[in-house]
Amino acid sequence: MNLVLAKTDTERAVSNVFATARDRLPGAGEVAEARRRAFEAYERAGLPHRRIEEWKYTDLRALMREVAPLAGRPDAAAITRAKAALELVAVDGAAKLVLVDGVFVPELSGIAELGAGISVRTLREILENGANDARSDLLLTSTTDAVISLNTAMVTDGVVISVADGTALSRPIQIVHVATASSASAFTRSHVKLGKAARATFIESFVAAEGASAYQANDAVILWVGDGAELSHLRVVADAADAVNISSGIVTVGAKAKLNLFNMTRGGAVSRYQVFITLAGEGSDLSVNGINLLKDKQHGDTTLVVDHAVPHCTSRENFRAVVDDRGHSVFQGRIIVRPDAQKTDGKMMTRALLLSDEAEADNKPELEIFADDVTCGHGATSGALDESLLFYLRARGLCEKDAQALLIQAFLGEAIEEIADESLREFVMAQAERWLEVRR
């Protein structure tokens, strides 16, 4: 008996997009073969849906409806619009690496500003190097997630960053994804490798140029943090109101290394940030904080897996969600403690603030502990603004919206304060205040 998997209209559209775009994708030989195998893996799984536990709250078959065709290379007009959009998310003093509709744009980027000890190349340049088929390894990952397989098959560009051992970068690196096209999709992937005892700040931003709408982004970032290295990784997602953004992170942390990861989502009709972190070296220290700011019918999903693979590691996860109107926030967090990972210290907390009766927050923290000498815990809460505090503020002359905004800022402050750099804390708070201004 021959079994044939039934496809939804959306899945058939994805197959058509891949068939149409295949000749435009960079790389041949082993690279093209890696793409083919990845797309076959995606087709076997299909788009994630509610019957898959990790995707039960974010059913892409229902939420995406259709898959947009691959965006074309940006022309001069698109680059001009992208330049204007950069001002909305630019971090002062950061060296910018700009991707427009999934394509690296040198004239908007500042590779020369990075200085010694750091190498930056584009993923397209490496994949198109016919003399180096081995670089197909840049398309390989340790996870079998369907959207990562789709990213592998369709990726067009990204940046590959390497920081030498002992190098301390004097300025942050900011990768900016700018969407200028409408009803189009972009697939990007970046690699960042920090050498031993290196120090760096890495920022990712997603923004829409004027006129961009109904676009889709599928991004992946592969991070290696070397022994004794310190990395601050900040993400701010401010997509168009009708955009779809599915981003994945695969992170490996070495011995006695420190990683501080922060994510803020305040745009997009559908967004999911899923990050898989492996603490692979003893004595490492991980801090992960995040914020979802959602309104209208926005759907924001943060899914986190922290794998304590070795002893004597510490992890702290702290998430906040503010949900208005009919927005839907999802947090799924899992801490895994392997049998040999004794003396693990891991804690996770997620809190949601619901501003309307129709707002929804699904929080699912989990612990999987296979060792017996550990300190681990998790918690989750959901609630509304404190009426007594609102009354107190209004009695002192604040209008209702201003009083709410002040309490919301205080609610978000605990997560934002974990950002070590003061200027970046102010940048993130300014982004949150923009959301609050629109809400007013």
Side-chain angles (χ1 to χ4, degrees), residues 34-88:
R35 291 186 185 277
R36 184 190 63 79
R37 290 194 298 266
F39 192 74
E40 288 179 352
Y42 159 75
E43 284 199 306
R44 286 192 295 270
L47 276 176
H49 51 85
R50 60 186 177 85
R51 293 185 180 180
I52 300 174
E53 181 64 25
E54 294 82 359
W55 291 84
K56 65 181 294 185
Y57 300 112
T58 304
D59 187 340
L60 289 189
R61 290 185 181 180
L63 291 170
M64 285 182 65
R65 301 295 182 186
E66 61 182 11
V67 175
L70 196 64
R73 293 185 68 87
D75 56 18
I79 292 174
T80 300
R81 291 163 55 216
K83 185 177 181 179
L86 284 175
E87 298 178 3
L88 300 175

Side-chain angles (χ1 to χ4, degrees), residues 342-423:
Q342 304 293 348
K343 302 297 183 181
T344 287
D345 183 357
K347 292 181 175 60
M348 178 186 298
M349 173 58 74
T350 174
R351 293 188 172 94
L353 185 59
L354 306 180
L355 302 181
S356 79
D357 293 338
E358 294 182 298
E360 180 179 350
D362 291 302
N363 298 320
K364 192 179 72 169
E366 301 174 83
L367 298 175
E368 294 184 11
I369 301 174
F370 303 99
D372 55 11
D373 187 6
V374 302
T375 301
C376 292
H378 65 66
T381 65
S382 296
L385 289 170
D386 190 315
E387 292 294 337
S388 62
L389 293 179
L390 280 174
F391 177 81
Y392 177 87
L393 293 174
R394 295 195 67 187
R396 278 148 183 80
L398 293 179
C399 70
E400 183 175 6
K401 287 293 186 180
D402 286 344
Q404 290 178 352
L406 194 61
L407 292 178
I408 291 170
Q409 285 178 300
F411 175 76
L412 300 176
E414 185 176 348
I416 295 176
E417 284 300 317
E418 293 300 320
I419 301 173
D421 187 277
E422 182 179 357
S423 63

